[in-house]
Amino acid sequence: MYKLEVKLPQKSYPILIKRGIINDIGNEIKKVFNNKRIIIITDHNVQRIYGEALSENLKSYGFEVNTISVEAGENSKSLDVLTDVYNQLLDAGMTRKDMIIAFGGGVVGDLAGFAAATFLRGIRYIQIPTSLLAQIDSSIGGKVAVNLSRGKNLVGNFYHPEAVYIDPDLLKTLPERFLHDGMAEVIKYSCIKDKELFNRLREINTELDLFTIINEIIYSCCNIKKGIVEKDEKEAGERMLLNFGHTIGHAIEKAFNYEGYTHGEAVAIGMYCIVRKSESMGITKEGTSDSIKELLVKFKLPFELPKIDFNILLEAINLDKKSESESINLVLINEIGESFIKKIEKEKVAQYLFS
């Protein structure tokens, strides 16, 4: 088992990474939660595969369990779905002494986490991420949110879980597209902070190769994020590095109504586009964009910007959370493993993003 601890001024919590930990999850949760009632928030796909087993395991340790299941997909990160979740929590008699489990991918983690942060002014919750993207990124660091029609994650909070339990075996039932979706975020981590991880990814040739070292990959990414979050919990500085590729990526997601591209696919395009442009401007080491492209192709991720109305992209970018009144903070890299934040005047943003 790998164990990390996120240490913050107001709260600390463990991250446990272990194959098969889901089979002993009730025992683990008893170490951080002494009361009885737990409400699982999940999506229909995860519920169908793992829901009954999780519920029965928890009940075997004396917990009282209810489940709220939402539609899978980004559209569930909405105020309408959030309101429905609130009503189901009320119907279940949820109190501030009870616990929520976010059991799913990034959408469920964000939705359930934001529900926990806001219902009854705050309820404890645990993250059990089931997608690679959630296991290495969104379940850690306390960023929880829902989307508005005008942009992604525009209503949210920083609200940390009591613990994060990561079982890499859950990835075995993940469709290939969503496994590769998570690999985009793995590539992101390697680009901003870990050249050695980048080189290890270049050595992977098969899915068997990937799963042979998946525990180590997850640990490396979680350790990078833990370190960044501990230095900058509220995204005032260094934590912005985690948004490498996301400025364009979020704009692509919005332009396609969160249906044409997964989050990781959109971020993959964003990473390649910004590096190719910064390379041409002499900011990034020559050949870096080709190296990134090689990895993206290996994991069946897109890299070319789709045909989108340029004005739609710019409008979405101006609503980006890294945007300020007259400028926007862009994440750039000097070379693989070395990243930095550059403040750009809004009228010059296109020069740094698009060829």
Side-chain angles (χ1 to χ4, degrees):
M1 182 193 306
Y2 289 104
K3 183 173 182 178
L4 295 164
E5 186 172 6
V6 181
K7 297 178 181 179
L8 300 168
Q10 305 300 323
K11 186 182 183 73
S12 295
Y13 57 93
I15 303 169
L16 304 184
I17 305 165
K18 180 183 178 183
R19 292 181 185 270
I21 197 171
I22 195 72
N23 299 318
D24 194 34
I25 198 67
N27 183 47
E28 293 294 339
I29 290 176
K30 284 182 76 72
K31 299 174 184 177
V32 297
F33 179 59
N34 296 322
N35 291 319
K36 289 286 187 181
R37 186 180 305 176
I38 291 175
I39 294 187
I40 301 165
I41 300 179
T42 188
D43 69 43
H44 297 343
N45 292 341
V46 175
Q47 174 64 16
R48 175 175 50 83
I49 301 171
Y50 297 113
E52 184 177 354
L54 174 61
S55 181
E56 291 304 311
N57 183 282
L58 293 172
K59 289 175 181 177
S60 72
Y61 283 91
F63 293 113
E64 299 171 6
V65 183
N66 293 82
T67 299
I68 297 172
S69 181
V70 302
E71 293 285 346
E74 191 73 26
N75 288 330
S76 283
K77 271 180 60 173
S78 70
L79 291 174
D80 287 342
V81 174
L82 179 66
T83 299
D84 185 56
V85 168
Y86 288 148
N87 284 324
Q88 291 191 62
L89 293 175
L90 288 169
D91 291 342
M94 191 78 173
T95 75
R96 295 181 71 184
K97 293 184 178 181
D98 301 328
M99 174 83 79
I100 287 174
I101 292 179
F103 184 47
V107 168
V108 164
D110 281 3
L111 174 70
F114 189 60
T118 50
F119 188 74
L120 301 180
R121 296 198 175 110
I123 293 171
R124 289 171 292 177
Y125 80 111
I126 285 170
Q127 289 271 13
I128 306 178
T130 61
S131 70
L132 180 57
L133 187 150
Q135 290 184 352
I136 63 168
D137 193 72
S138 60
S139 65
I140 303 157
K143 285 174 71 173
V144 295
V146 294
N147 304 331
L148 297 180
S149 61
R150 295 178 63 183
K152 189 168 181 176
N153 298 328
L154 292 177
V155 180
N157 201 350
F158 291 90
Y159 193 71
H160 296 277
E162 301 302 305
V164 181
Y165 301 109
I166 298 173
D167 188 341
D169 283 347
L170 297 177
L171 303 178
K172 293 178 179 178
T173 55
L174 200 64
E176 182 184 74
R177 182 184 182 189
F178 293 98
L179 180 65
H180 293 159
D181 171 68
M183 288 306 299
E185 293 282 355
V186 174
I187 294 168
K188 174 200 77 176
Y189 278 110
S190 69
C191 286
I192 64 170
K193 283 287 185 180
D194 195 338
K195 186 174 183 178
E196 182 180 345
L197 175 59
F198 189 90
N199 290 332
R200 290 194 76 186
L201 297 177
R202 298 179 80 170
E203 296 171 357
I204 294 172
N205 294 308
T206 66
E207 191 169 298
L208 179 60
D209 290 343
L210 174 60
F211 274 98
T212 299
I213 61 170
I214 195 67
N215 288 33
E216 291 85 353
I217 288 173
I218 293 170
Y219 173 81
S220 295
C221 295
C222 290
N223 196 37
I224 292 170
K225 184 157 190 181
K226 163 188 132 62
I228 290 176
V229 168
E230 287 174 342
K231 293 177 184 176
D232 177 24
E233 180 186 359
K234 299 293 179 69
E235 204 171 23
E238 187 174 356
R239 188 166 179 170
M240 292 184 194
L241 293 176
L242 296 169
N243 291 310
F244 175 56
H246 286 57
T247 298
I248 295 176
H250 283 168
I252 292 171
E253 286 184 276
K254 182 179 182 300
F256 284 87
N257 197 30
Y258 307 107
E259 294 178 350
Y261 291 87
T262 67
H263 175 71
E265 289 167 349
V267 167
I269 296 169
M271 289 189 292
Y272 177 71
C273 287
I274 199 167
V275 172
R276 183 178 60 181
K277 183 61 176 177
S278 64
E279 194 176 313
S280 72
M281 298 171 73
I283 298 170
T284 303
K285 182 179 178 180
E286 187 176 349
T288 303
S289 62
D290 284 341
S291 296
I292 292 173
K293 177 181 173 181
E294 177 186 324
L295 270 189
L296 297 178
V297 170
K298 173 180 288 191
F299 293 107
K300 300 179 183 177
L301 290 161
F303 58 89
E304 293 182 331
L305 190 68
K307 292 182 179 179
I308 310 174
D309 186 318
F310 186 70
N311 292 321
I312 292 176
L313 274 181
L314 284 183
E315 180 184 356
I317 288 167
N318 284 331
L319 283 171
D320 191 283
K321 298 184 300 304
K322 299 177 294 301
S323 177
E324 298 174 2
S325 58
E326 301 297 331
S327 62
I328 189 168
N329 294 296
L330 292 183
V331 182
L332 304 173
I333 62 173
N334 292 313
E335 61 178 298
I336 298 299
E338 295 183 14
S339 56
F340 65 99
I341 300 161
K342 187 173 180 65
K343 189 183 293 290
I344 308 293
E345 294 176 10
K346 283 188 174 179
E347 60 265 26
K348 297 180 180 179
V349 165
Q351 299 174 28
Y352 285 82
L353 297 180
F354 308 112
S355 299

